[in-house]
Amino acid sequence: MPKSLLIISRQAPWSGPNAKEALDIVLAGGAYDLPIGLMFMDDGVFQLAPKQNATALQQKNLMANLQALSLFGVDDVYACHHSLAERGISPTSLAVDDVQALSADEVRILIDRFDQVITL
Amino acid sequence: MKFAIALYSAAHSPSSRRALRFAEAALASGHEIVRLFFYQDGVHNASSNVVTPQDEQDLTQQWAAFVSHHQLDGVVCIAAALRRGVLNEDEAARYQRPAVNLKAPWELSGLGQLHDAIQSADRLICFGGP
Amino acid sequence: MSTLHVLSHSPFSDTRLGSCLRILGTDDALLLCGDAVYALQPHSSILKTLEAKSDTLKLFVLEEDLLARNLECLPWATCVDYPRFVELSIHYDKVNSWL
């Protein structure tokens, strides 16, 4: 049984390469068919905000990578409900489909469920 | 116990020193380090172009000496390294850059090496931030 | 399953400690190192937050960072060196460093 890995992504999408580099770990793990989970927390939930415009900053659109998650076999995608609420983002209007919003208790249970965790 | 150690901050960050002291203590206690993996700004720890003032700790030198002495597997993420100008001879030639600043004991490789280390280790320990 | 959460950012300029305390389980522990040890700053609001959890919170602090900042360990917390840090990382099922 391969070990499972949870990535907790805490960085906003427009603050340098950190958000993309966190996602790259997830996609690489998915490409190797490893059990990978991804959770957005704190400013990381801004990655899920609707109608973002990468071209305004001449950036590559991170959204394409986020939407490719299921193609890479990564279906365990979560967001911290508290972080979404704090930032006024509705869990029903996220730019990525099938993201599960989790309470603090559920976040703790999620971390328990994975063998290793990386918080970036 | 088998450790995989990942470092995400540059050599001038306190977390680089913390990671090295942890790695030293792990080996001193009889544990094994299956791989060191440098990602994000951690790739700067493998740069041979860092010049530290003489009265300060030279972490890049200490890391290289530590890895060489214990014959550890020191892997630097190639995508993160290219982005930050840390190049070995092959990559400097490939992208026609004038300087090579990554040499043995360090190796450039992909994120698969991080996943591989996580699979073979009992514990993944990450260091980064300040 | 238990998790050792490791923090190194100052809690006075950062949201990591708050987020971490929110999801910390009863079997989990917290290790403060680097600027995160400023959480032990006497008379501070953060210290009050920690003190309020002293009954249930398993708190470890990296000794060198306390010494460097002239801070004292709390009676209910445990000061650790690197060998003990290694032991903690084995005692807990996983280590979650908030990078």
Side-chain angles (χ1 to χ4, degrees):
Chain A
M1 262 294 269
K3 292 193 184 80
S4 59
L5 173 67
L6 177 67
I7 304 292
I8 303 179
S9 181
R10 295 184 60 261
Q11 304 290 326
W14 312 112
S15 58
N18 283 8
K20 181 183 179 296
E21 287 177 328
L23 197 54
D24 284 344
I25 300 179
V26 175
L27 295 175
Y32 287 99
D33 277 333
L34 296 169
I36 302 278
L38 172 62
M39 186 181 64
F40 297 93
M41 185 186 245
D42 295 329
D43 278 353
V45 299
F46 281 128
Q47 295 176 49
L48 304 171
K51 293 182 184 165
Q52 299 182 68
N53 183 357
T55 54
L57 296 170
Q58 291 114 45
Q59 302 283 307
K60 222 169 102 178
N61 193 353
L62 197 63
M63 200 46 68
N65 294 7
L66 286 174
Q67 276 155 353
L69 282 168
S70 61
L71 293 177
F72 281 79
V74 181
D75 297 312
D76 287 348
V77 185
Y78 310 92
C80 166
H81 190 276
H82 179 96
S83 306
L84 287 170
E86 204 172 39
R87 287 160 184 79
I89 301 172
S90 161
T92 57
S93 68
L94 302 180
V96 181
D97 293 335
D98 301 322
V99 176
Q100 229 182 307
L102 302 181
S103 69
D105 282 343
E106 289 169 327
V107 170
R108 186 177 58 246
I109 293 164
L110 182 75
I111 294 173
D112 272 351
R113 189 153 71 73
F114 281 83
D115 293 316
Q116 300 295 339
V117 56
I118 302 177
T119 298
L120 281 172
Chain B
M1 189 60 95
K2 294 178 180 177
F3 285 101
I5 297 179
L7 175 56
Y8 298 73
S9 290
H12 55 257
S13 160
S15 55
S16 169
R17 180 184 159 281
R18 204 175 298 130
L20 179 57
R21 297 293 170 259
F22 182 95
E24 289 168 344
L27 292 187
S29 306
H31 303 297
E32 184 188 338
I33 296 173
V34 297
R35 181 167 294 143
L36 291 161
F37 190 86
F38 290 176
Y39 193 48
Q40 295 192 329
D41 286 351
V43 302
H44 293 299
N45 290 280
S47 168
S48 43
N49 270 357
V50 175
V51 180
T52 308
Q54 277 192 356
D55 53 352
E56 293 179 22
Q57 297 240 324
D58 187 345
L59 260 298
T60 53
Q61 191 276 326
Q62 288 185 24
W63 270 116
F66 175 73
V67 169
S68 298
H69 181 252
H70 295 284
Q71 297 184 317
L72 299 177
D73 190 14
V75 176
V76 179
C77 174
I78 186 164
L82 290 176
R83 186 194 280 282
R84 291 164 177 85
V86 177
L87 309 180
N88 65 8
E89 216 170 307
D90 288 351
E91 299 308 314
R94 188 193 319 274
Y95 295 100
Q96 298 170 333
R97 293 297 190 267
V100 174
N101 59 345
L102 185 125
K103 295 177 177 176
W106 304 110
E107 256 178 74
L108 287 178
S109 193
L111 273 171
Q113 296 293 311
L114 173 62
H115 287 291
D116 178 67
I118 292 169
Q119 292 302 318
S120 50
D122 301 305
R123 290 287 185 282
L124 165 71
I125 316 288
C126 298
F127 291 88
Chain C
M1 292 281 271
S2 58
T3 304
L4 175 69
H5 292 269
V6 181
L7 297 178
S8 65
H9 289 73
S10 166
F12 296 99
S13 58
D14 183 81
T15 58
R16 285 172 178 79
L17 179 64
S19 296
C20 178
L21 290 176
R22 199 162 47 241
I23 61 165
L24 203 69
T26 45
D27 295 333
D28 299 341
L30 181 58
L31 168 63
L32 304 176
C33 53
D35 281 349
V37 307
Y38 282 126
L40 273 58
Q41 181 70 22
H43 315 299
S44 68
S45 56
I46 304 284
L47 180 59
K48 285 197 187 84
T49 306
L50 290 180
E51 295 276 10
K53 295 177 181 293
S54 62
D55 287 349
T56 53
L57 177 63
K58 278 196 279 293
L59 182 65
F60 299 94
V61 192
L62 196 59
E63 184 173 38
E64 61 176 25
D65 285 312
L66 277 183
L67 292 172
R69 291 164 180 80
N70 188 30
L71 291 168
E72 285 191 19
C73 199
L74 305 171
W76 54 275
T78 308
C79 221
V80 299
D81 56 10
Y82 282 99
R84 186 83 179 95
F85 184 176
V86 171
E87 283 171 24
L88 285 177
S89 72
I90 295 167
H91 176 82
Y92 290 90
D93 294 312
K94 58 178 123 1
V95 179
N96 182 23
S97 301
W98 293 62
L99 305 179

